[in-house]
Amino acid sequence: MNEMEIYGVYGKYLPRVKEFVMNKIVEMNQTEILRKNEKLYEHLIGRVKTEDSMIEKCQRKGLSLNSKSSLTECKDAIGIRVVCNFIDDIYRVVNLLKQQDWCNVIKEKDYVSNSKQNGYRSYHLIVSVKTDFPGIEAPKNGRYFVEVQLRTIAMDSWASLEHEMKYKHNVKNAEQIGKELKRCADQLASCDVQMQTIRQVIHEND
Ligand code: GTP
Ligand code: MG
């Protein structure tokens, strides 16, 4: 199989579906600002998984290299990260996403309330997106899957640094480094709670 074909004929639509979803989230934010004068998030990023990483993932999971595996069995060909100011905002975005008519939440993992053992925190959603707009062809029931990760700025900085360093330490000191990283994650989580409390106090005085 030609490795360029992991997404088959659908590859060319992925950037547009990503843009579509990002625009919808931007609109949700504008609506919230008008309604409550409070933004939903600090920033938003999106990516389409490169063909090479998708091939690597399919091989790792023992899936055949075709568009069914890359777009239906794997559900993170399109990834969007919403980086929020406060913990509450993560849940505001999750609740709003559940009310949207252009997508359905089909899976969620709350690593914010239940952090991973290494200290990783983030809220993960898999949404299925209706793509019945002109010029888009979709693999299954007219839908694409998108992974949405929601985090605070503090959670995001920890995840970036941990990701950066994951590949750089050797097995000898891995345990010690893991403990230190966990401690940093917990300190940042405690700051997030304090920041949230400060905002609440400010609101009570409004
Ligand atoms: P995949 O099939 O590999 O996507 O695994 P999964 O479905 O079990 O995914 P999960 O929802 O646990 O994590 C998916 C994504 O979250 C990863 O691709 C990372 O971007 C991020 N992530 C999860 N765990 C960690 C972690 O420990 N550290 C960092 N930095 N990122 C993580
Ligand atoms: Mg993933």
Side-chain angles (χ1 to χ4, degrees):
M1 177 199 173
N2 180 345
E3 295 200 339
M4 295 301 287
E5 289 170 4
I6 186 74
Y7 293 127
V9 296
Y10 307 108
K12 60 177 181 292
Y13 302 119
L14 292 172
R16 281 166 62 193
V17 177
K18 181 200 77 180
E19 289 303 317
F20 170 78
V21 175
M22 288 178 76
N23 286 334
K24 287 291 185 190
I25 298 176
V26 168
E27 279 173 29
M28 278 165 51
N29 188 37
Q30 285 160 349
T31 308
E32 278 301 285
I33 291 171
L34 287 175
R35 214 172 60 87
K36 288 184 75 181
N37 203 21
E38 220 168 60
K39 58 182 176 182
L40 282 177
Y41 56 82
E42 168 56 32
H43 68 274
L44 188 64
I45 58 168
R47 64 107 183 92
V48 172
K49 213 182 193 68
T50 62
E51 302 198 343
D52 281 351
S53 9
M54 185 49 87
I55 289 168
E56 185 275 318
K57 178 167 178 171
C58 290
Q59 284 168 340
R60 182 160 41 87
K61 295 190 170 262
L63 302 170
S64 15
L65 301 183
N66 56 34
S67 61
K68 182 168 184 282
S69 306
S70 64
L71 296 173
T72 308
E73 307 208 32
C74 294
K75 296 185 172 58
D76 62 348
I78 300 170
I80 290 173
R81 188 170 289 154
V82 185
V83 180
C84 299
N85 283 326
F86 297 94
I87 300 167
D88 280 3
D89 297 335
I90 295 176
Y91 294 98
R92 277 172 74 204
V93 178
V94 170
N95 287 331
L96 285 168
L97 278 172
K98 288 180 177 170
Q99 296 165 26
Q100 302 297 306
D101 55 9
W102 53 271
C103 75
N104 285 327
V105 173
I106 61 156
K107 194 173 164 191
E108 50 191 315
K109 285 187 197 163
D110 184 355
Y111 298 129
V112 172
S113 303
N114 304 294
S115 63
K116 286 184 44 175
Q117 263 195 340
N118 62 357
Y120 177 76
R121 287 173 174 81
S122 193
Y123 200 110
H124 294 180
L125 295 176
I126 303 290
V127 300
S128 109
V129 178
K130 226 198 293 180
T131 51
D132 51 359
F133 38 94
I136 300 261
E137 231 187 291
K140 201 189 169 195
N141 307 327
R143 288 178 173 267
Y144 280 89
F145 295 111
V146 176
E147 180 181 78
V148 184
Q149 298 181 345
L150 304 114
R151 322 165 156 168
T152 63
I153 296 170
M155 294 171 195
D156 190 49
S157 27
W158 185 92
S160 306
L161 298 179
E162 189 260 358
H163 182 78
E164 168 84 15
M165 291 189 288
K166 209 182 276 191
Y167 309 101
K168 292 191 178 159
H169 61 260
N170 54 42
V171 244
K172 209 183 78 197
N173 53 13
E175 198 182 330
Q176 183 58 30
I177 288 175
K179 274 189 196 152
E180 301 278 347
L181 280 169
K182 172 78 165 64
R183 208 158 57 90
C184 287
D186 292 345
Q187 283 172 343
L188 288 166
S190 146
C191 281
D192 267 340
V193 172
Q194 286 173 321
M195 288 292 196
Q196 180 75 62
T197 309
I198 293 168
R199 181 165 82 164
Q200 249 149 25
V201 170
I202 291 170
H203 278 189
E204 277 156 20
N205 294 331
D206 271 353

